[in-house]
Amino acid sequence: MKAPARKTRDTLAFWGFVGPFLIGLAVFAYLPIGWSVYLSFFDARNTVTPSVFVGLDNYAHMLTDGPFLASLGTFSVFAVVIVPLTFVLSLALAVGVHQLRFARAFFRSVFFLPFACSYVVASLIWKTSLFSGVRYGLANTVLGLFGADPVAWTGTVDPPLYWIVLVTARLWLQLGFYMILFLAALQRIPVRLYEAAWLDGAKPGWQVFRYITLPQLRATSVAVLLLNLINAYQAFDEFYNIMGDSRGYPPFARPPLVYLYYTSLGSGGQDLGRGSAGAVLLALLIALVTLSQGRLFRFDRGALSSTALS
Amino acid sequence: MQSRSRRSFLTLAGTAAVGAVAAACGSNTGRPGDPPPSTAMSAGPPPSKPAAKVTLQQWYHAYGEDGVQDAVRGYAASYPGATVKVQWNPGDYDSKIVTALQNSAVPDVFEAQVKIDWVRQNQVVALDDLIGPVKNDFSPAVLAAQTVEGKVYGIPQATDTQVLFYRPSLLQAAGVQPPQTVDELVDAAGKLSRDGVKGLFVGNDGGVATLTGPLLWSAGLDYLKPGGREVGFDDPRAATALGKLRALNANSSLLLGAPTDWSDPGAFIDGLCAMQWTGLWNMPKIRDAFNDDFAVLPFPKLDNSGAPSVPVGAYGAMVNAKSKHVAEAKAFVKWLWVDQTTDQLEFATRFGFHVPARQSLIDKADTLRSGPAADVARFVKENSHLVGGPVWTQQANTALSDAVAKIAKEGADPVAQTKAAVTVAQSELKRLFG
């Protein structure tokens, strides 16, 4: 009789711990997602309880909607720049901090701290202080030392200098996080591997990094790339706060989420049907790209990184 | 606050007097359920219980000026017909209202500009019966902001507008006359750009958000034609006018990337630009900074076939159709925004710098009697236009805004871009009116 009583107690404990989270997840995540998919098949302007079924019209509209497609293009530009840059720089930072003989904890903290900063706060600092278009903005003050005129960083599209503002803000905010991931992976590499390489005559530096360190980081590298790409798709905060204003948002540098935000929640009228269709399409696209990337990098075998040595 | 206390007292005294008379009349109304009359003649009818007041929820967005919140709470508190609770809403108020209207009975009364979708979804109540007697007292543009298919859904509360502020001393030093045409504005902006000062500030987006309407009006066009069933800028002159924004953006005379945007006077006051397009609400700060060395202009005309213009926006008091107290909410709106002209004048002119929504009150506003303020009041009377309007949808607005941004910032072909925006706006009108 003892065993069933314990089982019942365990079951109760399980649901006691998991239940509240499951309910929260259902109410605040899955229900809205389900309702959003439902809305995407209706003409739902300024209502979340629509009555006019339009089938796939909203999807057809979004797939032929110039600004939505352009926003996917914007994302692509952002991803092509930010993903490799973040990867290389965070890895370089991690290797640098890992090799420090002293003050390692200090530098680890220094580089990680920006990750704790709000995207909104960082965006406003970037917009109004560092890359302000007036002569006393930090970047323009530096340029002024060389006799250059003030540059309108966020207002210049030819060349598109606003990318410098957007990319540097994102880099500053997220490099520390990915550096920590790489740092943890670096610390897990057995020292004997390096000793063996040294005995075999491998030159310290690039050769060891190329043939020992990098293959050992394979699983982390794939995870970093995946997270990075998904994060790039979800870019919203810094774009919205750096490029937008109270009246709207320019068509250039408008990522998908910003466009969907204006479509679904714009103060000029909420088109929740089309916005939901766009959100579903975007989610599918993210899933597709993520799966493709996972397949491309053999994510399923990433953990078996030691095989790279064989 | 003296007058407020005095009026509150009178209101309360009046209410008490009415209550006393009602009590004296007795409680036997003859309705079913009333208690039978007392048989004891000397006892008289039992004292009636005063009817419980309904409670109305009223929403405002968070006005920036000191004192407005206290004032509107005071107006609400002095209303005799109901208990009115005022909610002050900082942040993205317009989106919050749209969301609240979808399924909620709250707020009962709120300020906003009507959208046609709200009417189609039966989310707001027509207020023609309230505004009827004084309808002609409102300027056509502010009334248009609250009108859908001939019905008025909001009582305009106060008018905000934007004008071109400039420093006469700087124009004189540069040998520039106050611009009367768009070409003269482009020319003046160029000549005024010197010594680290830019000629003109029209927003960090290069004027896309602020000048799209004024440029269309400068050519005698509009977002929609009168009646709101046809696109108003399907015309070659629209491309010509919008192309002028490219000229402004291309000659390096615009201030871009300022720490504060067009709605704040910071750039103008700090001497970063010689002219700034901004709101009337900034006039006190600008006067403090420059004394008499500032003046105002409407946005100039494109040519003699066009006209100068100022945009106007006006929140109106509206009633939520899902409110449980629609009749009481309408009565309150009528009391405050139709009958209480003294409060309306105070609301518009005492705390910030606005023009009263009712034309009869403009002449009574001390703050608008002389100088640049009087000029602005005249512009509002003679040259005001509504930006977009209730039938102008988010989809159409994004299309036009994108087109103007591409023309201004990227030098895209104005004709092709304007045509693309016309196509989207036409499809939106087709959706709305078939």
Side-chain angles (χ1 to χ4, degrees):
Chain A
M1 288 302 289
K2 272 186 177 177
R6 184 174 174 183
K7 195 177 174 188
T8 308
R9 207 167 56 239
D10 285 353
T11 309
L12 277 174
F14 173 81
W15 285 112
F17 281 109
V18 174
F21 293 101
L22 204 61
I23 292 169
L25 202 64
V27 171
F28 295 109
Y30 294 122
L31 188 65
I33 290 173
W35 198 257
S36 180
V37 174
Y38 172 75
L39 282 178
S40 70
F41 298 107
F42 287 84
D43 182 9
R45 287 182 167 79
N46 289 304
T47 179
V48 289
T49 49
S51 54
V52 183
F53 181 77
V54 295
L56 293 173
D57 279 8
N58 288 328
Y59 288 92
H61 174 86
M62 293 311 284
L63 286 170
T64 54
D65 183 36
F68 181 63
L69 298 177
S71 75
L72 295 176
T74 298
F75 148 73
S76 303
V77 172
F78 184 58
V80 162
V81 175
I82 201 75
V83 173
L85 262 183
T86 303
F87 183 88
V88 171
L89 292 177
S90 58
L91 180 57
L93 272 183
V95 170
V97 170
H98 186 60
Q99 287 179 344
L100 283 174
R101 308 244 167 174
F102 58 91
R104 187 191 288 185
F106 171 76
F107 282 102
R108 197 171 51 206
S109 305
V110 164
F111 291 126
F112 184 72
L113 266 181
F115 182 66
C117 182
S118 147
Y119 270 55
V120 176
V121 171
S123 303
L124 294 178
I125 292 171
W126 248 247
K127 179 181 184 173
T128 59
S129 268
L130 303 186
F131 291 100
S132 152
V134 293
R135 56 182 178 269
Y136 46 76
L138 186 64
N140 281 338
T141 304
V142 173
L143 284 179
L145 297 176
F146 300 96
D149 287 333
V151 172
W153 295 95
T154 56
T156 306
V157 298
D158 189 21
L161 296 179
Y162 53 85
W163 277 121
I164 293 177
V165 187
L166 293 165
V167 168
T168 52
R170 170 60 73 106
L171 282 177
W172 184 77
L173 282 161
Q174 71 176 14
L175 274 186
F177 174 71
Y178 293 112
M179 177 201 76
I180 290 289
L181 294 188
F182 276 125
L183 210 49
L186 283 171
Q187 286 165 354
R188 282 203 309 271
I189 301 176
V191 180
R192 66 172 188 277
L193 286 179
Y194 291 104
E195 291 169 350
W198 180 71
L199 287 174
D200 287 346
K203 292 175 191 162
W206 172 249
Q207 205 172 31
V208 168
F209 178 77
R210 166 75 181 81
Y211 292 103
I212 307 289
T213 310
L214 211 50
Q216 288 293 311
L217 294 177
R218 180 189 163 115
T220 307
S221 300
V222 173
V224 165
L225 285 174
L226 277 178
L227 289 173
N228 226 325
L229 194 68
I230 292 171
N231 273 349
Y233 260 116
Q234 294 175 337
F236 179 85
D237 292 1
E238 73 269 50
F239 281 81
Y240 182 78
N241 287 292
I242 289 174
M243 302 299 291
D245 64 35
S246 59
R247 292 288 201 85
Y249 194 98
F252 44 88
R254 182 165 55 198
L257 283 190
V258 171
Y259 181 66
L260 292 179
Y261 171 79
Y262 280 104
T263 303
S264 303
L265 301 170
S267 57
Q270 300 184 342
D271 193 341
L272 295 162
R274 286 178 178 175
S276 297
V280 170
L281 286 172
L282 191 62
L284 289 176
L285 196 60
I286 292 176
L288 189 70
V289 171
T290 307
L291 289 175
S292 307
Q293 197 194 11
R295 180 61 64 91
L296 188 69
F297 287 99
R298 306 299 299 272
F299 189 38
D300 50 332
R301 293 176 56 190
L304 305 173
S305 52
S306 56
T307 54
L309 287 174
S310 58
Chain B
M1 291 310 292
Q2 278 286 331
S3 61
R4 168 68 46 217
S5 302
R6 194 162 55 237
R7 193 168 63 210
S8 301
F9 170 75
L10 289 172
T11 307
L12 282 171
T15 313
V18 170
V21 171
C25 289
S27 63
N28 182 12
T29 62
R31 286 195 294 266
D34 276 341
S38 170
T39 49
M41 295 294 289
S42 59
S48 69
K49 279 170 70 176
K53 278 187 184 177
V54 301
T55 298
L56 299 175
Q57 305 284 342
Q58 184 186 20
W59 282 13
Y60 288 92
H61 84 288
Y63 286 83
E65 299 94 347
D66 292 337
V68 190
Q69 191 175 3
D70 290 338
V72 297
R73 286 186 194 282
Y75 304 152
S78 62
Y79 178 57
T83 303
V84 182
K85 290 191 173 172
V86 170
Q87 181 172 318
W88 207 242
N89 292 284
D92 188 0
Y93 173 76
D94 289 339
S95 296
K96 188 173 181 178
I97 275 293
V98 172
T99 307
L101 287 180
Q102 288 174 9
N103 283 306
S104 169
V106 173
D108 304 281
V109 178
F110 60 96
E111 58 174 12
Q113 284 193 39
V114 69
K115 297 286 168 199
I116 189 168
D117 285 328
W118 298 2
V119 176
R120 294 283 166 90
Q121 304 277 355
N122 294 319
Q123 292 172 339
V124 287
V125 174
L127 304 177
D128 296 272
D129 49 336
L130 311 189
I131 201 173
V134 293
K135 193 172 174 180
N136 292 334
D137 195 21
F138 291 90
S139 77
V142 295
L143 204 57
Q146 307 296 353
T147 306
V148 173
E149 294 173 327
K151 287 187 176 177
V152 177
Y153 291 87
I155 312 290
Q157 301 174 166
T159 306
D160 269 328
T161 188
Q162 297 148 41
V163 289
L164 184 68
F165 284 84
Y166 67 95
R167 302 269 308 276
S169 61
L170 294 181
L171 266 66
Q172 206 170 6
V176 174
Q177 290 297 314
Q180 303 299 317
T181 65
V182 177
D183 283 334
E184 286 178 17
L185 178 67
V186 176
D187 186 50
K191 286 179 178 164
L192 287 164
S193 292
R194 54 185 194 175
D195 304 328
V197 176
K198 290 288 187 180
L200 176 63
F201 183 45
V202 288
N204 285 322
D205 65 353
V208 175
T210 53
L211 296 189
T212 297
L215 281 163
L216 293 177
W217 305 323
S218 79
L221 305 170
D222 208 333
Y223 291 82
L224 298 167
K225 286 185 179 170
R229 300 294 180 96
E230 287 178 77
V231 178
F233 54 95
D234 188 7
D235 188 301
R237 282 170 61 76
T240 307
L242 296 174
K244 301 292 181 187
L245 201 56
R246 174 60 184 169
L248 269 175
N249 273 269
N251 74 357
S252 299
S253 60
L254 286 186
L255 174 65
L256 295 170
T260 53
D261 214 347
W262 66 274
S263 57
D264 186 279
F268 190 54
I269 288 172
D270 292 344
L272 298 173
C273 57
M275 303 187 286
Q276 181 176 335
W277 181 261
T278 188
L280 173 64
W281 53 87
N282 291 319
M283 191 170 277
K285 287 181 183 170
I286 291 171
R287 179 176 289 142
D288 287 348
F290 300 130
N291 291 320
D292 292 333
D293 185 23
F294 80 96
V296 291
L297 283 172
F299 191 80
K301 61 188 177 185
L302 182 66
D303 50 32
N304 287 333
S305 302
S309 64
V310 290
V312 293
Y315 268 147
M318 308 181 71
V319 172
N320 184 351
K322 294 190 179 73
S323 163
K324 290 174 180 146
H325 309 293
V326 168
E328 290 88 347
K330 284 178 70 174
F332 171 63
V333 167
K334 179 177 184 301
W335 176 83
L336 181 55
W337 297 113
V338 176
D339 300 338
Q340 303 296 109
T341 50
T342 312
D343 288 346
Q344 293 157 28
L345 185 60
E346 180 186 76
F347 177 78
T349 60
R350 184 170 164 195
F351 310 103
F353 225 86
H354 312 274
V355 177
R358 292 170 70 163
Q359 307 204 55
S360 60
L361 296 180
I362 295 177
D363 299 330
K364 294 180 182 170
D366 293 337
T367 50
L368 302 173
R369 288 238 166 88
S370 61
D375 292 339
V376 176
R378 182 166 48 84
F379 301 156
V380 169
K381 275 188 174 177
E382 296 174 1
N383 308 110
S384 61
H385 294 269
L386 178 64
V387 178
V391 176
W392 185 247
T393 63
Q394 177 81 24
Q395 194 85 9
N397 200 51
T398 300
L400 180 57
S401 172
D402 282 6
V404 176
K406 286 174 185 168
I407 293 167
K409 308 297 288 186
E410 299 172 23
D413 175 27
V415 175
Q417 291 298 325
T418 308
K419 201 158 187 56
V422 166
T423 305
V424 174
Q426 279 171 337
S427 77
E428 282 292 281
L429 290 172
K430 190 160 187 286
R431 172 179 73 81
L432 290 169
F433 301 112

